[in-house]
Amino acid sequence: MMSDRRAPIYLDYNATTPIDPSVRATMMPFLEDQFGNPSSTHLYGKTAHRAVEKARGQLAALIGASASEILFTSGGTEASNHVIKGVLQRPGDHIIISSIEHPAT
């Protein structure tokens, strides 16, 4: 704790942000007792899989996309890799990356 100074202001919301209380409430069952791997075929996995698919559909509806267009990744590096690999698979397309891109890119 800082005694003679003001508390610092957090300005890196690109890296992480506080969780909205309604999001926390929705996630709590999956953080406490329904924490199955959504790729597993057991009951816990199936429950988690349904929740992920519901979230995918909700997000798609929110932004006017189809659920099949929503891809969840573990972070920015994985997301950048998906985009780069996708572009490189299309004949004739190319990628230009500058020195100011995020290091993961």
Side-chain angles (χ1 to χ4, degrees), residues 15-53:
T16 187
T17 61
I19 297 174
D20 182 272
S22 65
V23 173
R24 180 182 296 116
T26 301
M27 289 178 60
M28 285 312 294
F30 303 99
L31 298 173
E32 292 179 341
D33 56 343
Q34 297 179 26
F35 49 85
N37 177 346
S39 297
S40 296
T41 59
H42 50 63
L43 179 61
Y44 290 106
K46 289 178 180 180
T47 300
H49 181 79
R50 283 191 298 273
V52 169
E53 292 308 312

Side-chain angles (χ1 to χ4, degrees), residues 3 8 36 51 56-57 65 70-73 75 84 86 91-92 95-98 100-101:
S3 58
R56 187 185 319 277
I70 305 299
L71 178 67
F72 295 123
T73 65
I84 292 168
I95 298 173
I96 298 172
I97 299 175
S98 74
I100 63 169
E101 298 296 338

Side-chain angles (χ1 to χ4, degrees), residues 60-100:
L62 180 68
I63 64 171
S66 70
S68 64
E69 294 176 292
I70 305 299
L71 178 67
F72 295 123
T73 65
S74 63
T77 301
E78 184 181 358
S80 291
N81 275 298
H82 276 292
V83 171
I84 292 168
K85 288 177 181 179
V87 169
L88 292 176
Q89 290 179 4
R90 298 187 316 202
D93 284 349
H94 63 280
I95 298 173
I96 298 172
I97 299 175
S98 74
S99 62
I100 63 169

